[in-house]
Amino acid sequence: GKHARDFIHVRVVKEIMPNLVKFFQTLELVVKDKDMARTLSARESKRILEKMINGLWDLLALLDLSPIESDQLIQIIVANLSGTLNAPEIRCKLEPRRSLDCNILDLKLGALTV
């Protein structure tokens, strides 16, 4: 039980998370590219990004990631949304499952308003 959980946690953090971060960044580039703004690719990228952001909170809770591990993903979400929304709008849109993620999100949003 515990060994399997630790194994999965380590694999996710070391192998999946870096690729997930790259995928988020790629979707961000497509969504923010002004030349592609009205293309099907941009619309689909935006839709996928929104679904991934919503599902990310469940993933962070399920894996019980540490603050250091979840910080990078939360930063990407905030950076992505800050291009179109202000901090209060972002806070209304996002619903972290864990208080830890909620605190990290609030710190990131506080930095936007300063």
Side-chain angles (χ1 to χ4, degrees):
K2 179 167 175 26
H3 294 293
R5 187 176 197 285
D6 290 344
F7 174 76
I8 291 170
H9 181 90
V10 168
R11 293 278 315 259
V12 167
V13 170
K14 289 188 177 186
E15 295 176 22
I16 295 172
M17 295 303 260
N19 292 321
L20 189 60
V21 167
K22 286 179 192 172
F23 187 64
F24 265 117
Q25 292 168 335
T26 301
L27 289 175
E28 263 186 293
L29 290 173
V30 172
V31 169
K32 291 183 177 181
D33 186 339
K34 293 186 192 295
D35 294 333
M36 296 182 67
R38 295 197 185 333
T39 65
L40 177 62
S41 177
R43 284 194 303 270
E44 287 301 306
S45 294
K46 184 176 173 104
R47 187 179 64 78
I48 292 168
L49 196 55
E50 287 176 3
K51 285 186 176 188
M52 285 182 69
I53 287 171
N54 290 332
L56 184 66
W57 301 117
D58 292 327
L59 179 65
L60 294 176
L62 178 69
L63 295 172
D64 195 27
L65 296 179
S66 72
I68 291 171
E69 295 165 338
S70 59
D71 182 83
Q72 184 180 18
L73 291 171
I74 294 172
Q75 178 61 42
I76 290 171
I77 293 170
V78 170
N80 175 264
L81 295 175
S82 66
T84 55
L85 302 172
N86 63 33
E89 292 170 329
I90 293 171
R91 188 66 186 96
C92 288
K93 185 177 179 93
L94 301 178
E95 299 175 15
R97 307 289 184 263
R98 303 183 305 166
S99 61
L100 170 78
D101 299 328
C102 189
N103 292 339
I104 293 171
L105 178 61
D106 289 341
L107 285 171
K108 302 284 182 194
L109 294 175
L112 286 180
T113 58
V114 173

